[in-house]
Amino acid sequence: MSKSQAVLIRPGCTDFDQQNRIQGTLNIPLNQQGQVQVSRLAEDLRDMPLKRIYSAPCEPARETAESLSADLGVPVKELDSLANLNQGLWQGMVVDDIRRKHPKVFKQWQESPETICPPEGEEFTDAMVRVGKAIDKILKRDVNFAIIAPEPLASMIRWHVCGGKLHTVEPSDSCRDDCHWEILETNGKSEAPLENGQGAPAKPARAKTSN
């Protein structure tokens, strides 16, 4: 099966990123820095033969995708199945507050995010299955494409395409000069296919709100 290139892009910076808050499924628009990042990103990707841009259904990903589409002339398809992991009661919280109040849980969340489920949040394995099915459908098209997704969704996508270790990127990592993007070589199918949950990480422990 022939290979295509997938460009995995994290959206531009938001105020929550600058405040080091967990966004999850919250719709937070790009701030001024994020808009500058996306403008620079368009120049980086201008010579790539992208056929389509897939976007997560959240405001920062949507804004990033629409801006790139306008600059590059590439159509955008937004997929509800690429919704970010719902972080439950952690959404809107400052990361350092979780680190301070729940140090053991925080350490485990950073080292093995698939083993932790925030209170009232989405099970990691459920999200992995959902995202895996979406990625398999995209890969079957066998074209050069970009996917715009925030963390931890971007890490899940990378795992499905390339395998390897899952990791959590803290919000502040998005607040640098340029959007983070990378090229993933594909062979038309997921490297870690999930069917009925098979191949998914173990069921995560649900984090508690008390110390």
Side-chain angles (χ1 to χ4, degrees):
M1 186 174 293
S2 62
K3 289 188 176 183
S4 62
Q5 285 188 336
V7 181
L8 178 59
I9 302 167
R10 278 71 170 179
C13 182
T14 70
D15 286 345
F16 264 34
D17 290 320
Q18 289 186 326
Q19 296 162 10
N20 210 26
R21 294 182 182 273
I22 297 174
Q23 295 187 51
T25 57
L26 299 178
N27 279 319
I28 310 297
L30 299 181
N31 58 20
Q32 185 174 4
Q33 180 180 352
Q35 293 169 357
V36 172
Q37 288 174 325
V38 174
S39 296
R40 291 174 176 168
L41 177 63
E43 292 303 315
D44 290 340
L45 302 180
R46 194 166 299 280
D47 294 331
M48 291 191 179
L50 298 177
K51 303 298 184 182
R52 188 181 297 270
I53 297 171
Y54 292 95
S55 172
C58 60
E59 192 61 25
R62 185 182 300 118
E63 284 189 52
T64 301
E66 290 175 351
S67 178
L68 287 178
S69 176
D71 286 342
L72 302 178
V74 179
V76 173
K77 184 175 180 62
E78 185 176 307
L79 297 178
D80 290 339
S81 54
L82 291 181
N84 201 12
L85 181 71
N86 188 326
Q87 301 277 23
L89 298 181
W90 284 3
Q91 294 188 164
M93 289 186 64
V94 176
V95 171
D96 283 344
D97 286 344
I98 299 174
R99 192 197 318 262
R100 177 173 51 83
K101 294 178 180 178
H102 313 286
K104 291 183 179 179
V105 171
F106 180 83
K107 185 175 186 295
Q108 185 177 347
W109 182 52
Q110 293 293 289
E111 295 178 351
S112 303
E114 69 275 14
T115 65
I116 291 294
C117 180
E120 299 185 20
E122 181 180 13
E123 295 280 2
F124 200 98
T125 47
D126 292 343
M128 287 290 284
V129 171
R130 163 172 60 82
V131 172
K133 291 178 179 179
I135 294 304
D136 274 339
K137 289 181 180 179
I138 293 173
L139 291 177
K140 286 177 182 178
R141 297 179 64 93
D142 198 32
V143 297
N144 296 319
F145 59 88
I147 301 181
I148 302 175
E151 289 292 349
L153 181 68
S155 180
M156 293 182 184
I157 292 170
R158 194 182 196 287
W159 187 83
H160 278 290
V161 176
C162 302
K165 180 177 173 58
L166 290 161
H167 65 283
T168 295
V169 177
E170 294 192 17
S172 58
D173 288 349
S174 297
C175 294
R176 50 190 188 182
D177 290 341
D178 301 304
C179 286
H180 183 280
W181 64 276
E182 58 185 315
I183 296 175
L184 308 178
E185 293 292 340
T186 78
N187 62 3
K189 64 179 181 178
S190 172
E191 290 295 320
L194 300 179
E195 192 165 331
N196 298 323
Q198 294 180 4
K203 202 73 169 175
R206 189 168 290 275
K208 298 180 180 179
T209 56
S210 59
N211 290 328

